[in-house]
Amino acid sequence: IEISVNTIPVRTRDWKWTLNANVTTLSSQITSVSDDASLASAVGEDITFGANAIGYPVGSIYGYETDINGNRIDHTGDNRIAQEDRVILGRTIPVCHGGLTSILTWKGLTLDVQTDFAIGQKLLNMNRMMDEGATYVSDRYVEAADFFRLSRLSLCYDISVKKSWLKKLTVSLTGTNLLIATPYSGYN
């Protein structure tokens, strides 16, 4: 489902303010897999990270749950830790994401601000795994990856030019990805 709203709340002779907002919800659920389909996507011999399991979203994070002491949990109850003890640890696709764009114009000056966000996703912090020498994926390395980002900030000024080959000259200063607020400690 996607909802989009575009409006111009202010329009006068000198001022114009445009707002554009959108929110999208995403859901996916695997309902069946072929008999020869692998549950997990491997990066190495013993490290798997993505799972395509019935009843879960595509690309869910797959690994071991750990107790408060960091020990892997034996989900099969056979008193040994094996690949069969791995479970789905989180979804990599956000539950919803969206953005807001605000464009404020006064005479020849324009301020353009664009933000975006995502809610309800988790990511595997592979860099942290490697730094700590981990040999398997566990919930210890799965982090909430919700974010709010100032994607673009742009200030432009239009200069009128009275030349036959040029009508207007625009001078602008633009920054991208200037701020991100997220609990995720990995690279963004």
Side-chain angles (χ1 to χ4, degrees):
I1 298 172
E2 182 168 1
I3 298 170
S4 182
V5 176
N6 303 311
T7 184
I8 301 173
V10 175
R11 184 184 297 203
T12 67
R13 195 175 124 233
D14 293 333
W15 290 91
K16 181 179 177 185
W17 183 26
T18 305
L19 285 174
N20 302 311
N22 74 319
V23 175
T24 302
T25 59
L26 302 170
S27 68
S28 71
Q29 184 178 39
I30 295 174
T31 56
S32 67
V33 293
S34 66
D35 290 339
D36 61 344
S38 172
L39 174 67
S41 303
V43 213
E45 189 175 314
D46 294 320
I47 298 181
T48 57
F49 66 94
N52 292 319
I54 294 173
Y56 293 94
V58 173
S60 294
I61 301 171
Y62 183 62
Y64 295 99
E65 280 185 311
T66 56
D67 61 21
I68 59 170
N69 297 318
N71 300 315
R72 291 178 280 180
I73 296 173
D74 176 13
H75 283 286
T76 58
D78 61 2
N79 294 322
R80 66 182 189 89
I81 300 298
Q83 290 187 1
E84 293 76 25
D85 293 309
R86 293 177 296 175
V87 295
I88 301 295
L89 300 173
R91 58 182 288 148
T92 58
I93 300 171
V95 173
C96 88
H97 68 95
L100 175 69
T101 300
S102 175
I103 303 170
L104 183 62
T105 303
W106 176 69
K107 298 187 178 185
L109 193 62
T110 301
L111 177 64
D112 183 348
V113 179
Q114 182 178 346
T115 62
D116 62 318
F117 68 90
I119 298 170
Q121 72 181 34
K122 295 193 181 276
L123 290 176
L124 178 62
N125 191 331
M126 295 286 287
N127 290 317
R128 197 169 127 226
M129 278 184 63
M130 288 189 268
D131 288 347
E132 295 181 13
T135 57
Y136 56 86
V137 173
S138 78
D139 54 4
R140 174 181 165 89
Y141 304 105
V142 176
E143 300 177 16
D146 303 344
F147 69 85
F148 175 82
R149 175 176 39 219
L150 176 57
S151 311
R152 186 182 70 231
L153 180 63
S154 183
L155 184 62
C156 303
Y157 185 67
D158 293 332
I159 302 167
S160 295
V161 179
K162 298 189 180 353
K163 300 285 184 190
S164 61
W165 51 275
L166 184 65
K167 295 181 181 176
K168 178 173 71 170
L169 181 66
T170 301
V171 177
S172 66
L173 178 63
T174 301
T176 58
N177 295 327
L178 298 172
L179 169 76
I180 186 163
T182 181
Y184 181 65
S185 65
Y187 295 115
N188 292 303

